[in-house]
Amino acid sequence: MNKVDVNGLTEREFLAEYKPGDYDRPSVTVDMMVLRMKEDLSCMQVLLIKRKAHPEIDKWALPGGFINIKESAYEAACRELKEETGLTDIYLEQLYTMSQPDRDPRMRIIDIAYIALLPYGYEQSAVAGDDAKDARWFDVKFADEKLEFANDLIKIEYSLRSEKFKNGVITVENFVPVSVSDEKLAFDHDQIILEGLMRIRNKAEYTGIMFNLVPREFTIPDLLKVFEVLSGKEVHPKVFREKIAGQLVSLDRSQRPIVGRKPAAVYRYVDLNMDERKLVKVHKKYKNGVILTRAQPFHNGHLNMIKQAASECENLLVVIGSANKSYTKRNPFPIEYRKRLVENVLQEEDLSGADVKVMTLSDWSMEDAAQYVKEWGSFFYYNIANEIGEKSFTFYYNDDPKIAENWFTDDILKNVTIRNLGRSDIEISSTMIRDLLYKKDYDKVRDLVPRWMWKDLKQLGKILMDATNDDYMM
Amino acid sequence: MNKVDVNGLTEREFLAEYKPGDYDRPSVTVDMMVLRMKEDLSCMQVLLIKRKAHPEIDKWALPGGFINIKESAYEAACRELKEETGLTDIYLEQLYTMSQPDRDPRMRIIDIAYIALLPYGYEQSAVAGDDAKDARWFDVKFADEKLEFANDLIKIEYSLRSEKFKNGVITVENFVPVSVSDEKLAFDHDQIILEGLMRIRNKAEYTGIMFNLVPREFTIPDLLKVFEVLSGKEVHPKVFREKIAGQLVSLDRSQRPIVGRKPAAVYRYVDLNMDERKLVKVHKKYKNGVILTRAQPFHNGHLNMIKQAASECENLLVVIGSANKSYTKRNPFPIEYRKRLVENVLQEEDLSGADVKVMTLSDWSMEDAAQYVKEWGSFFYYNIANEIGEKSFTFYYNDDPKIAENWFTDDILKNVTIRNLGRSDIEISSTMIRDLLYKKDYDKVRDLVPRWMWKDLKQLGKILMDATNDDYMM
DNA sequence: TGAATAGTGTCTCTAAGACAATATGCA
DNA sequence: TGCATATTGTCTTAGAGACACTATTCA
């Protein structure tokens, strides 16, 4: 494998001598077309930012930025997406690479465009980054040779001119957006969005791309609405039902759909690829896992611990403690509220196919007295064992394991494996979040809690304000 | 429109001061996956080059190169394609942009990959460029979790490992080629080809992409074979016929298909987008156009002139002169051969919807005697007028127009418009091509004649060798 | 003449589409 | 209760698929 080139150099020698040329090299950026459904499912919305700097100052543009020299375009897009929306684990697909030499007047910039799709149902505010004066969601209307971006303040309209060009033997019809309003989008971003909308319209027909625009649980009428908006055509409900039936699983619940009146059955998308993972569930490290949290309130620290535990346990029991406490400074949120919240959050998350249950548990009346810890441990153990119907489980505890060990008698410790994942940010963060909620700093909270909670933050803050009772000392 | 930024600069001022940063910028290349059908339509073939330089020296790779600072990626791909295959007017589609930071050990290189599709039926040799030791067509086998590139000399095999990764709510199955033979392709080109093959497989189902892999005229059985190879599945001939019937027009001829025995009807793809152009044919500049050429042999100079004329005439008559001369040094090719060749070439070309006919015309017995030019002109005129059934036409003549004017009497000149397109490379090139054919320098000839003739070059050379008779003086 | 393929006629079966009928919660 | 929508049942029609049969050429 030590081949030499025409100069007699091996690859190692060649690379040691190699210097990248001094000739002009283009800069490379990523831009993202971030799409979601409007709340009433009447159309899609695209996230645009208002440019703060030259060139194209004050124009609306797709969010994006330069690729760092050490990251791939995909990684750059993920990073930008997180900066812009706070979201990760989102559908992200490379769309097209724009390379006209004069597309940016500063210098040669090649732009790799991505499509990102967000599920509806979170209160997803638009955040203006460093490079933007403003960030807003625009309703997208794409029909009848027209393309329109609009919100309460601005309306940017294009008409679509059909251009035909020969590509090999076939003639390709290409639509070019022609600005017909005062404002237009920056650079060639109109062209990117048009291209992206057509890609999605195509993919709607023959892939499951629509499932990326709905939350984990949805009704068929809502899904149909999404499909109709994506594909740009009407579909008979019966036909639609039959077509997607095989990809859905009913949850034997119903809820009122966004578009309808009568409650409709709630479904979840069956990821056929995921199903195979369920079959290998038996190969997981532990059978039963248990996590204890007060969830005052629940946050990403808890979620990450649960996800990690779910990935190594077949069954996972999430115990919400202090069930008997509410409306106190340290335990402001009532237990029903906490339980529902955790259940809903977990429904939205990927839990590696684990069978996850949520239970509540009151405090041992003497929990704070150091001499009664063993009683607390036994109370905890027997409630858990009773709930899961087995003696043995793995207890996930992220504080000093010695503390938890001390809870249990030697007999119980034969059945309980204490597992520490090495994160101790959990209690700290709950306090932190309560502080931020006091200060009404909802934007910061958003970064610390699961998506599902975003729409409830103000309500959480209100409950917190009303909680005036003192806790037991501790 | 003179908005200022945070520094109080207008866009003009900003750009005047702007300097591209000194930070590391990636280099950008284009690579092309050039595909065609194998002669027997049993599989596709991909064009690969053997790398001459480090890194990945001696490995087989996709042809490509750096983007010049003044050209778009598409233009760069066209340029590379022309350098590599001599072809223009070929299906070319952006595939994917590869951006792993470590994909090239020299430096950060971002690669924009393209797909190019060539019709079968030309003898399309692979030419090694500056950066290659060799260039070859490889048979592509893509089935049953295997991907294989093979020709007489080399076989490069991959098995496809299925990798699943979550993209939003859906889990995407992604195949990764794993090398299972001694050789592997350079860089991530295996991944690019796999991606491209899957793109084409998808597009085969719901677009007319297959028409880019067949010549202008083809039989349905051959087209079916192409479709089956592209889509990777068998199709019932009846079903296939019915599905594509609307896109084809029969030419009321038959020819033996590549895969079959009984002659099959010859069809042409109806480009629905092109049809609209035919409707506006009446708006063309001239009604009848006439071009005179000896076609000894036909070449790109003639073709370009015909194309130009076709774009401005509703009807175009191509007159092949010296019909009575063959096997002489200056007129080596027999008239039947020349006529068939021109007809076949024109069938393959896009002639702007003009109605193009080819006729032959003997020389006026005294053409070389200057005093008989008017007789030659009248002979020429009446033959043409008789053929097209009208008195008036536009005569395309690329030598000094005075010469052609002198052919015709004043009466005839009332009906003949002489049009000079300003190219005079025509006679020169025919002589040049005959010289090159003598020298058996077929590669150079390929650049100068239409694609359709490429497979006949050796036969042309042979006829030329056999032509020993002297011409009339001139 | 027979092998091999081109091309058509006809039947079956499934899925798409249209429409009617019934179910159900909410105002 | 009645409106609006969810959901299912049934009929029609179009197309996919299967298969048999005829046509045509080459060996």
Side-chain angles (χ1 to χ4, degrees):
Chain A
M1 282 312 292
N2 268 319
K3 292 181 175 171
V4 296
D5 64 10
V6 286
N7 302 316
L9 298 177
T10 65
E11 177 153 0
R12 178 189 294 266
E13 290 161 353
F14 168 83
L15 289 174
E17 299 225 337
Y18 187 85
K19 287 189 189 71
D22 288 332
Y23 56 88
D24 283 334
R25 266 177 277 155
S27 296
V28 181
T29 57
V30 289
D31 275 329
M32 281 158 311
M33 179 171 88
V34 186
L35 287 176
R36 68 170 187 189
M37 293 299 294
K38 196 177 180 177
E39 307 90 286
D40 63 359
L41 307 186
S42 65
C43 65
M44 281 189 280
Q45 294 183 311
V46 64
L47 180 63
L48 298 177
I49 59 156
K50 190 169 191 172
R51 286 184 55 81
K52 200 189 211 165
H54 288 304
E56 308 266 14
I57 192 169
D58 281 342
K59 288 204 179 135
W60 291 90
L62 294 174
F66 287 94
I67 296 188
N68 295 336
I69 200 72
K70 293 272 182 200
E71 72 188 352
S72 70
Y74 185 83
E75 286 159 358
C78 286
R79 176 176 53 73
E80 293 284 345
L81 188 60
K82 192 171 178 197
E83 287 170 16
E84 219 73 45
T85 69
L87 295 179
T88 55
D89 284 335
I90 284 301
Y91 180 85
L92 196 57
E93 174 193 344
Q94 197 186 99
L95 171 61
Y96 204 82
T97 299
M98 308 298 284
S99 65
Q100 280 302 323
D102 54 357
R103 57 182 294 284
D104 191 303
R106 282 170 291 182
M107 54 181 170
R108 179 79 193 264
I109 294 185
I110 287 177
D111 180 37
I112 308 177
Y114 279 79
I115 296 177
L117 302 180
L118 313 187
Y120 62 77
Y122 311 108
E123 189 166 293
Q124 170 72 60
S125 61
V127 187
D130 294 344
D131 52 345
K133 279 184 182 168
D134 198 358
R136 274 177 198 277
W137 289 97
F138 284 69
D139 293 359
V140 178
K141 298 265 157 65
F142 175 37
D144 296 332
E145 321 236 315
K146 262 185 60 178
L147 178 60
E148 186 185 303
F149 309 99
N151 58 26
D152 300 342
L153 304 173
I154 315 128
K155 191 176 197 177
I156 303 177
E157 283 174 287
Y158 288 89
S159 85
L160 301 181
R161 184 156 49 81
S162 160
E163 275 192 355
K164 284 161 188 168
F165 75 97
K166 268 204 96 204
N167 194 358
V169 289
I170 64 171
T171 303
V172 178
E173 184 166 26
N174 203 28
F175 288 99
V176 182
V178 181
S179 172
V180 292
S181 55
D182 293 343
E183 298 223 36
K184 68 179 284 301
L185 299 192
F187 308 114
D188 47 14
H189 292 186
D190 43 13
Q191 188 76 56
I192 294 174
I193 293 175
L194 180 58
E195 189 71 30
L197 291 173
M198 294 199 294
R199 165 91 57 102
I200 286 175
R201 182 165 283 192
N202 255 321
K203 283 208 160 182
E205 300 285 348
Y206 65 95
T207 76
I209 200 169
M210 63 177 162
F211 294 111
N212 292 294
L213 286 161
V214 300
R216 195 94 157 188
E217 304 192 347
F218 49 83
T219 67
I220 291 188
D222 287 345
L223 185 66
L224 171 59
K225 204 78 192 39
V226 173
F227 178 77
E228 289 183 332
V229 168
L230 256 63
S231 67
K233 67 183 189 190
E234 279 196 14
V235 183
H236 291 254
K238 185 73 189 299
V239 175
F240 184 72
R241 256 164 210 281
E242 282 165 4
K243 214 187 279 181
I244 58 161
Q247 303 175 69
L248 301 185
V249 59
S250 168
L251 298 181
D252 291 322
R253 282 192 287 118
S254 47
Q255 75 183 36
R256 184 161 160 190
I258 292 168
V259 294
R261 292 172 154 255
K262 173 179 164 183
V266 176
Y267 290 83
R268 189 177 280 196
Y269 172 60
V270 179
D271 201 319
L272 295 172
N273 288 320
M274 292 288 287
D275 258 8
E276 292 176 31
R277 281 202 219 163
K278 276 200 180 165
L279 295 178
V280 297
K281 197 169 66 169
V282 287
H283 296 302
K284 282 190 183 170
K285 213 161 159 184
Y286 307 112
K287 189 165 179 216
N288 302 307
V290 172
I291 286 180
L292 175 63
T293 168
R294 286 189 302 118
Q296 289 286 9
F298 193 78
H299 57 68
N300 284 337
H302 303 126
L303 180 58
N304 289 332
M305 190 168 167
I306 289 172
K307 279 181 157 181
Q308 178 63 35
S311 76
E312 49 190 48
C313 296
E314 292 166 37
N315 309 303
L316 183 63
L317 184 65
V318 178
V319 183
I320 304 184
S322 301
N324 51 337
K325 298 200 185 133
S326 306
Y327 306 115
T328 69
K329 279 177 186 155
R330 196 163 163 270
N331 286 298
F333 306 108
I335 186 65
E336 314 79 45
Y337 183 82
R338 284 182 274 157
K339 185 176 186 221
R340 186 164 52 76
L341 192 144
V342 173
E343 283 174 341
N344 282 328
V345 164
L346 295 184
Q347 263 164 12
E348 294 293 321
E349 299 293 334
D350 174 25
L351 297 171
S352 312
D355 196 354
V356 180
K357 270 191 199 162
V358 179
M359 75 173 277
T360 61
L361 187 65
S362 297
D363 288 340
W364 178 249
S365 55
M366 303 271 157
E367 66 161 316
D368 53 332
Q371 64 268 43
Y372 291 118
V373 283
K374 286 275 190 294
E375 274 76 10
W376 153 247
S378 300
F379 169 77
F380 178 73
Y381 173 76
Y382 291 112
N383 270 288
I384 303 306
N386 187 44
E387 176 71 27
I388 64 179
E390 296 197 32
K391 283 185 190 170
S392 299
F393 58 85
T394 301
F395 179 48
Y396 287 80
Y397 188 76
N398 263 3
D399 229 332
D400 182 356
K402 291 268 191 284
I403 296 175
E405 254 174 55
N406 198 38
W407 291 358
F408 303 113
T409 64
D410 287 351
D411 274 353
I412 291 178
L413 269 178
K414 284 176 194 157
N415 288 314
V416 177
T417 309
I418 294 170
R419 180 147 168 71
N420 186 304
L421 296 174
R423 286 192 191 128
S424 56
D425 52 351
I426 293 198
E427 186 55 29
I428 307 163
S429 294
S430 270
T431 313
M432 206 163 90
I433 286 164
R434 292 200 298 274
D435 283 348
L436 290 168
L437 286 172
Y438 269 122
K439 294 180 202 151
K440 300 195 176 174
D441 195 349
Y442 301 123
D443 279 346
K444 277 202 187 123
V445 176
R446 235 185 280 267
D447 289 341
L448 303 171
V449 303
R451 272 191 251 166
W452 199 89
M453 292 170 61
W454 292 8
K455 63 180 188 307
D456 288 348
L457 296 187
K458 281 178 191 165
Q459 200 192 335
L460 256 69
K462 193 172 175 303
I463 294 174
L464 209 52
M465 297 300 172
D466 296 343
T468 48
N469 299 342
D470 280 335
D471 286 276
Y472 295 86
M473 229 178 60
M474 178 171 168
Chain B
M1 283 309 293
N2 268 320
K3 293 183 176 168
V4 296
D5 64 10
V6 286
N7 301 316
L9 297 177
T10 65
E11 176 154 1
R12 178 188 294 265
E13 289 161 355
F14 168 84
L15 289 173
E17 299 226 337
Y18 187 85
K19 286 188 190 73
D22 287 333
Y23 57 88
D24 284 334
R25 264 175 281 157
S27 296
V28 182
T29 57
V30 289
D31 275 330
M32 281 158 311
M33 178 171 88
V34 186
L35 287 176
R36 68 170 188 189
M37 292 300 294
K38 196 179 180 177
E39 308 89 286
D40 64 359
L41 307 187
S42 64
C43 65
M44 280 189 279
Q45 295 183 311
V46 65
L47 180 64
L48 297 176
I49 59 155
K50 190 170 191 172
R51 286 184 55 81
K52 200 189 212 167
H54 288 304
E56 308 268 14
I57 192 169
D58 280 343
K59 289 206 179 131
W60 291 90
L62 294 174
F66 288 93
I67 297 188
N68 295 336
I69 199 72
K70 293 272 183 202
E71 72 188 352
S72 71
Y74 183 83
E75 286 160 358
C78 286
R79 176 176 52 73
E80 293 285 344
L81 188 62
K82 192 173 178 192
E83 286 171 15
E84 219 73 45
T85 68
L87 294 179
T88 54
D89 284 335
I90 285 301
Y91 181 85
L92 196 57
E93 174 193 343
Q94 196 187 99
L95 172 60
Y96 205 82
T97 300
M98 308 298 283
S99 64
Q100 280 301 323
D102 55 355
R103 57 182 295 283
D104 191 303
R106 283 170 291 182
M107 56 180 168
R108 180 77 195 265
I109 294 184
I110 287 177
D111 180 37
I112 308 175
Y114 278 80
I115 296 177
L117 302 179
L118 313 187
Y120 63 77
Y122 311 109
E123 187 165 296
Q124 170 72 56
S125 61
V127 187
D130 294 343
D131 52 346
K133 279 183 181 167
D134 198 359
R136 275 177 198 277
W137 290 98
F138 284 70
D139 292 0
V140 177
K141 299 265 157 63
F142 175 35
D144 297 330
E145 322 236 314
K146 263 184 60 177
L147 178 61
E148 186 185 302
F149 309 99
N151 58 26
D152 300 341
L153 304 172
I154 315 129
K155 191 177 197 176
I156 302 177
E157 282 175 289
Y158 288 88
S159 85
L160 301 181
R161 183 157 50 81
S162 160
E163 275 193 355
K164 284 161 188 169
F165 75 97
K166 269 204 95 201
N167 194 357
V169 290
I170 64 172
T171 302
V172 178
E173 184 165 27
N174 203 28
F175 288 99
V176 182
V178 180
S179 173
V180 292
S181 56
D182 294 342
E183 299 223 35
K184 67 179 286 299
L185 300 192
F187 309 112
D188 47 12
H189 291 186
D190 43 12
Q191 189 74 55
I192 293 174
I193 293 175
L194 180 58
E195 188 72 29
L197 291 173
M198 293 198 295
R199 165 91 57 103
I200 285 175
R201 181 164 284 191
N202 253 321
K203 282 209 162 183
E205 300 285 348
Y206 65 96
T207 77
I209 200 169
M210 63 176 163
F211 294 111
N212 292 294
L213 286 161
V214 299
R216 194 95 159 185
E217 303 193 347
F218 51 83
T219 67
I220 291 188
D222 287 345
L223 185 67
L224 171 59
K225 203 80 190 44
V226 173
F227 179 78
E228 288 183 332
V229 169
L230 257 63
S231 67
K233 67 183 190 190
E234 280 196 11
V235 183
H236 291 254
K238 186 75 188 298
V239 174
F240 185 73
R241 256 165 211 282
E242 283 166 3
K243 215 188 280 182
I244 58 160
Q247 303 175 69
L248 301 185
V249 58
S250 168
L251 298 181
D252 290 322
R253 281 192 288 119
S254 47
Q255 75 183 34
R256 182 158 162 195
I258 292 167
V259 293
R261 291 172 154 254
K262 173 180 163 185
V266 176
Y267 289 83
R268 188 177 282 196
Y269 171 60
V270 180
D271 201 319
L272 295 172
N273 289 320
M274 293 288 288
D275 258 10
E276 293 177 28
R277 281 202 217 161
K278 274 198 180 164
L279 295 177
V280 296
K281 198 169 65 169
V282 287
H283 296 303
K284 282 189 182 171
K285 214 159 156 185
Y286 306 112
K287 190 166 178 214
N288 301 306
V290 173
I291 285 180
L292 175 63
T293 169
R294 286 191 301 120
Q296 287 288 7
F298 193 77
H299 57 68
N300 284 337
H302 302 125
L303 179 58
N304 290 332
M305 189 168 168
I306 289 173
K307 278 179 158 183
Q308 178 64 34
S311 75
E312 49 188 50
C313 296
E314 290 167 38
N315 309 300
L316 183 63
L317 184 65
V318 178
V319 183
I320 304 184
S322 299
N324 51 338
K325 296 200 185 134
S326 308
Y327 305 116
T328 68
K329 281 177 184 154
R330 195 165 165 270
N331 285 298
F333 307 107
I335 186 64
E336 314 80 43
Y337 183 81
R338 285 182 274 157
K339 185 178 184 217
R340 186 166 50 78
L341 190 144
V342 172
E343 282 174 342
N344 283 327
V345 164
L346 295 184
Q347 264 164 12
E348 295 293 321
E349 300 291 337
D350 175 24
L351 297 172
S352 313
D355 195 354
V356 180
K357 269 191 200 162
V358 179
M359 75 173 276
T360 61
L361 186 65
S362 297
D363 287 340
W364 178 249
S365 56
M366 304 269 154
E367 66 160 317
D368 50 332
Q371 64 268 44
Y372 292 118
V373 281
K374 287 275 190 297
E375 274 75 9
W376 153 248
S378 298
F379 169 76
F380 177 74
Y381 172 77
Y382 290 112
N383 270 285
I384 302 307
N386 187 44
E387 177 70 27
I388 61 179
E390 296 197 30
K391 284 185 189 171
S392 299
F393 59 85
T394 302
F395 180 47
Y396 288 81
Y397 188 75
N398 262 5
D399 229 333
D400 183 357
K402 292 268 191 282
I403 296 175
E405 254 174 54
N406 199 35
W407 289 0
F408 303 113
T409 63
D410 288 351
D411 275 354
I412 291 178
L413 269 178
K414 284 176 194 156
N415 287 315
V416 177
T417 310
I418 294 170
R419 179 146 168 72
N420 186 304
L421 295 174
R423 288 193 190 127
S424 55
D425 53 350
I426 293 198
E427 184 53 29
I428 307 165
S429 296
S430 271
T431 313
M432 208 164 88
I433 286 164
R434 291 199 301 273
D435 283 348
L436 290 168
L437 285 172
Y438 268 121
K439 294 180 201 152
K440 300 194 178 176
D441 193 349
Y442 301 124
D443 279 346
K444 276 201 188 126
V445 176
R446 235 184 278 267
D447 289 340
L448 303 172
V449 303
R451 275 191 251 167
W452 199 89
M453 291 170 63
W454 291 7
K455 63 179 190 305
D456 288 348
L457 295 187
K458 281 179 190 164
Q459 198 192 339
L460 255 68
K462 192 170 175 305
I463 295 173
L464 210 52
M465 297 302 174
D466 296 344
T468 47
N469 299 341
D470 279 336
D471 287 275
Y472 295 87
M473 226 176 64
M474 180 170 164

